[in-house]
Amino acid sequence: MSKEEFRSILTDAMAGCHEELEKILELYMPLIEKNSYLNGNLDEDLKQYLMIHIALQIGKFSI
């Protein structure tokens, strides 16, 4: 993915486009899952918490 493509997806996600937000979450899912482990086990609640906070805060990102 080029910088321009990513910028376009991020800009649309910031504007409230659900399809583009899904693309951002899919792109960062390996990092989200990596940070969703507690005591060596994947914590689905923590994973969902991270995804919700990304969705709620994405409009505040600066480009």
Side-chain angles (χ1 to χ4, degrees):
M1 174 181 306
S2 70
K3 286 183 181 182
E4 294 78 24
E5 289 172 320
F6 181 78
R7 179 183 285 271
S8 175
I9 291 170
L10 181 58
T11 302
D12 290 346
M14 290 171 60
C17 179
H18 294 271
E19 292 83 16
E20 301 300 339
L21 176 59
E22 286 182 31
K23 289 180 185 177
I24 294 289
L25 290 173
E26 184 178 315
L27 180 66
Y28 284 95
M29 191 55 62
L31 184 60
I32 292 168
E33 287 187 351
K34 177 183 174 190
N35 288 287
S36 296
Y37 278 83
L38 287 176
N39 300 321
N41 297 312
L42 180 64
D43 186 323
E44 292 291 337
D45 290 335
L46 179 54
K47 180 178 168 182
Q48 185 175 7
Y49 178 85
L50 292 171
M51 291 174 20
I52 288 169
H53 279 275
I54 291 168
L56 291 173
Q57 301 300 319
I58 200 163
K60 297 179 180 179
F61 288 9
S62 63
I63 296 179

